[in-house]
Amino acid sequence: MASHSDTLVVFFGATAGANGGKLGSDEREIILLVWQIVDLREKKVGKLHRCLVKPDTFELTEQCKEETGLTLEEVAKAEPLDKVLQQFQQSVSSELKCFGRSSYTLCVNSPLVIRQALHPEASKKNLVLPECFYSFVDAKKEFHKCCPNSGPVQKLTLSSMLECILFCHAYNHKISCVEIVNYKFDSGTCSKTEPVNSETVIRARGLPWQSSDQDIARFFKGLNIAKGGVALCLNNQGRRNGEALVRFINSEHRDLALERHKHHMGSRYIEVYKATGEEFLKIAGGTSNEVAQFLSKENQVIIRMRGLPFTATPQEVLSFLGPDSPVTDGAEGLLFVKYPDGRPTGDAFVLFSCEEYAQNALKKHKQILGKRYIELFRSTAAEVQQVLNRYLSTPLISTLPPSPVMPLPMLATQPFLPASSTVRDCVRLRGLPYTAGIEDILEFMAEHTVDIKPHGVHMVLNQQGRPSGDAFIQMKSADKAFMVSQKCHKKTMKDRYVEVFQCSTEEMSIVLMGGTLNRSGLSPPPCKLLHGLSHSPCPATRSPVSAPLLAAPRTPHSAAHTAAHALYYPPQPHLYMNMNMNYTAYYPSPPVSPSTVGYFAAPPGSVAAAVAAQSHPGAAAASLCSHSRVLSSGCRAFPTTLGSRTF
């Protein structure tokens, strides 16, 4: 309704739980609504209306019974909230006609009844509130405007509210500040240079992973979130971690948001804590003009696509989405996420002009494009910015300076790392879904799980610290490994078939340094070390960063034998890594945690020097000491907790 300061509807409410200054904080339902019309111009007061509301949960706290004087029997006979709101509209409309008025202003003793009780409950029950509940006047604030030198207002009753209002009107005080409740959340972008007041930001935890910014805004319904003020947080793998940073228009709304700590979103309770402006900018702030241009179109629904083939073109994506979900402005409504060198990441964001088109697109979730299934889910402007920030800040491997060779003798002594052996008592799982965890692997292996060695599941990450789709499993014997490779090869896990190869721990190490393993056998890493070159620098024709995993040399063979076969050193006791290897760390299965195996690049000639050092223990010890500082500062640690199951 349009505001009309001469006609007020004084409104009051109570819940089945806490009331007063804590109204709405315990998520209890409304059980009482009271209203009365006041004509300030004619000094007339309308009839007092008092309606009980029937809650879904029949339970009243002792505090509620004491303050309202209501009993459970009375409340049980009442009408539900939607019926009472209809009565409110009808009675107010009829009385306004009697007063000769067509509009009014809603006046409350506290904004809590509107912001913390009525709007959240209506949102949960999918009720459409009358327009009048989106603007109101706070009687306490108006009284202090009229009489700024007066002391703090005591607890306002309906009668005392009327006295305050009439007192203010007697002094010709005009109601000028009408508080607004936003109809919807406006998405948008945030610049890293924009100042963000820390008194306006909260962190919400425990969100369902598929929650969108609109879902979060609905959880905080009644409170005004700043434009683009919802930033969903992502984990190291680029997936949502159940947290979000939310920025409100002022500190008052932030404080009310904190009162919703452990309120529910569906069946989940959400934790709400204070956060800082720096944290918000770190997640949502950006400097990309490409993102700003992409998101410049207002009122667009954003969908994120994951797992796209790296060769996918805009036309292929548009064809995949189909005519039922037309993209805004065609290819202009697609934003492919790329690394700084232009390589595609497999992620893209798509704009749709309406909810219907977005829903049609979401129906393509996990359908196939090329040879890959594509994940589609709702996204936000802040997530677009965050994903691009994350990938654009990813350092390129080719630009990293070469690190000194780092012998890691502790690898041979860690209890969870397998000793090098030619016994083929392991299996390699290749092509795992990136979301697969330990429990998924156990389910995949079914009855063969009992044949896994203790701590025998090793997940493999790529150079960006994300799941590579590979895992190595240590079995109790070579026969058990053979049986698994035969029974589980190309068995399906989460819509993807997984390849299973039998291997040894020695072959496992070679694969970790860049070699390949399939059912046809083992292929060597990019750089081969001949025994004849073991005490000389690598030839200039070889890449300076392509040294394989290296350990103590084998017993020398004849020159003719060496020329005929390119031999490799077993991975013990010292391991090294080249820059081109596929994996940077693998994770032991619990309970061994937290431990991470780090690998480091070998500069030109360092491999041969390390081989030579095998015959000079003193030199090797000196080398280890000289690099100890680099080891302590350069080893990147990743979290290794994958579950709590012991194998």
Side-chain angles (χ1 to χ4, degrees), residues 136-251:
F136 61 92
V137 171
D138 186 341
K140 288 182 180 179
K141 289 183 179 179
E142 291 299 327
F143 179 79
H144 279 296
K145 284 183 182 179
C146 177
C147 304
N149 297 325
S150 64
V153 179
Q154 300 299 322
K155 179 180 178 181
L156 285 180
T157 62
L158 197 61
S159 57
S160 61
M161 284 175 63
L162 290 174
E163 291 177 5
C164 289
I165 293 167
L166 294 173
F167 179 80
C168 292
H169 189 265
Y171 279 83
N172 295 320
H173 172 73
K174 297 295 182 181
I175 295 174
S176 58
C177 185
V178 178
E179 296 197 28
I180 302 298
V181 178
N182 289 343
Y183 284 93
K184 64 176 184 177
F185 165 70
D186 291 327
S187 60
T189 58
C190 177
S191 171
K192 283 189 177 295
T193 59
E194 180 179 343
V196 177
N197 185 356
S198 293
E199 297 300 314
T200 64
V201 182
I202 61 94
R203 178 183 294 272
R205 296 180 56 185
L207 300 165
W209 70 268
Q210 70 272 30
S211 299
S212 67
D213 54 353
Q214 297 295 339
D215 295 324
I216 296 170
R218 187 176 182 182
F219 175 79
F220 289 108
K221 186 66 176 176
L223 308 179
N224 295 343
I225 299 174
K227 183 177 181 179
V230 177
L232 297 166
C233 301
L234 306 180
N235 60 17
N236 290 333
Q237 286 74 46
R239 297 181 180 274
R240 298 173 186 174
N241 63 3
E243 295 188 12
L245 293 169
V246 185
R247 177 189 179 192
F248 294 90
I249 60 170
N250 56 39
S251 59

Side-chain angles (χ1 to χ4, degrees), residues 603-620:
S606 62
V607 172
V611 174
Q614 299 295 329
S615 57
H616 300 84

Side-chain angles (χ1 to χ4, degrees), residues 81-89 118-134 183 218 221:
L81 181 60
D82 57 339
K83 298 293 184 182
V84 174
L85 291 176
Q86 290 179 10
Q87 294 179 24
F88 168 81
Q89 283 186 286
L118 191 58
H119 275 282
E121 184 173 339
S123 177
K124 290 178 182 178
K125 295 181 176 179
N126 294 316
L127 303 180
V128 178
L129 288 176
E131 188 178 352
C132 63
F133 291 111
Y134 287 87
Y183 284 93
R218 187 176 182 182
K221 186 66 176 176

